[in-house]
Each structure stands twice: as structure tokens, then as C-alpha cells.
Amino acid sequence: QAALPSFRRLVLWGPAMSPLGDRPPTLGQLRQMLAEEALSCEDLVGYSLQQIRDSPASFVEVFEASALAAARAADARRRVGAPAGPLDGIPVAVKDLLDVRGSQTRAGLPASKAARLARAARPADKDAVVVERLKAAGAIIIGKTQLTELAFSGVGHNPHHAAVLSPTGRAPGGSSSGSA
């Protein structure tokens, strides 16, 4: 995996840093920080990429280059007062059950098994509708998260991929285990 560009270390939350304690900032708080230029989109995406590197089992694919390019474009739009929408510059991960143009959708299957399925054997030629809508609102798709095989389990474990733990060290449960 290629090294990420160097970003100034951001601490968006933590008991000693925030009146929120150890809870992450809300979407509204992130939007306000971006609007007030207390945080750039590029720094936010860079921070998110650092977090992914710290917990790589949550992701099956990371769109580093396109996410950083989209963050720079969002910062440029913000500088001229023309954000793309309410989520402009906010990094979002999607479940590997959703098509992202240019990416294979494996639905939690191992690559060898997914390759036998016609739909999963080739990269998606267009985004899923929900992904299109997120992008239209300005969201930056940062990657695809792990899920249980074919999204068919309430436990959150996928025997084909590394175990995913929530930030508190617990099994996340549910089919969207990588999103925890």
C-alpha cells in the first residue's frame, strides 16, 4: 500500500480535547468546522485515511487518490463560496454491497468466489443510486467497507476477511460490520 501524503495531525475528538468527551463530532459540527474554515476538506479526508490505516480490516477498498482529489476540489469550491451541497467535503464510506463506478462489488464474498458471479467479476460501470445522490450532495466516497457474506447475518463476522472490531474493541454485529 502506498504511503499517504503527510497531513498535520488532527484530533477531532477525545476526552482531553472536546466538551463532547470521547464522542466523535456530529455531521453538523463537521459542517460548521468546514464552513468556518477551522478544518479543510483535505485535512478531514487525510485524517479519515489515517484512521483507515489504523484499522484496515474495516475496509475492503480505499479510494485514496480520488478522495484526496475530491477533497481538494471541495476546498476550492468552499474558497469561492460555492459548495456542491450539504455534504460537500464530508468523507463517506459505503458498504461493499453498493456499486461505485470503477470498483468491483463483492458483497462480502472472497475474490475467488466473487469472480464467478457475472456482476461481481467486472468493475461497476455506474454508481448505485444512493452513491450518485451522496456525490451530488458533495460527499466524498472514501472507500467500501466490509460486510458479512451477502449481507446475510446479524453477527457481523465474515469468515473470508479479517475480524472487524468497533472503536470500543467489541464485535460490531449486523451485516454492516465495517461501518462500525
Side-chain angles (χ1 to χ4, degrees):
Q1 184 177 23
L4 292 172
S6 174
F7 290 93
R8 77 182 148 96
R9 185 69 181 160
L10 297 176
V11 179
L12 293 179
W13 70 87
M17 308 299 172
S18 167
L20 299 172
D22 60 356
R23 293 179 298 178
T26 65
L27 176 58
Q29 290 167 327
L30 285 175
R31 288 181 60 202
Q32 183 176 355
M33 291 168 74
L34 290 169
E36 294 172 353
E37 297 182 6
L39 178 67
S40 74
C41 300
E42 186 174 4
D43 281 341
L44 180 56
V45 167
Y47 174 81
S48 299
L49 291 169
Q50 287 173 342
Q51 296 302 304
I52 292 167
R53 291 185 81 184
D54 290 346
S55 182
S58 298
F59 282 77
V60 295
E61 188 171 7
V62 180
F63 308 129
E64 293 176 16
S66 62
L68 288 168
R72 290 182 195 108
D75 281 333
R77 286 190 301 273
R78 286 181 174 283
R79 280 192 293 276
V80 297
L87 298 177
D88 199 28
I90 301 290
V92 174
V94 297
K95 191 175 189 173
D96 190 29
L97 200 59
L98 299 173
D99 283 345
V100 174
R101 187 171 28 101
S103 172
Q104 288 182 306
T105 300
R106 294 182 189 93
L109 296 169
S112 60
K113 203 179 217 182
R116 291 191 299 254
L117 300 175
R119 182 172 175 263
R122 57 179 165 53
D125 56 359
K126 64 180 185 173
D127 290 330
V129 172
V130 67
V131 174
E132 286 177 355
R133 291 180 180 175
L134 283 165
K135 287 180 176 180
I140 296 171
I141 307 301
I142 199 164
K144 294 177 95 173
T145 58
Q146 191 185 133
L147 66 151
T148 59
E149 190 172 19
L150 301 173
F152 191 69
S153 170
V155 178
H157 173 70
N158 186 324
H160 308 296
H161 300 287
V164 175
L165 298 177
S166 73
T168 61
R170 296 189 170 121
S175 68
S176 300
S177 54
S179 297

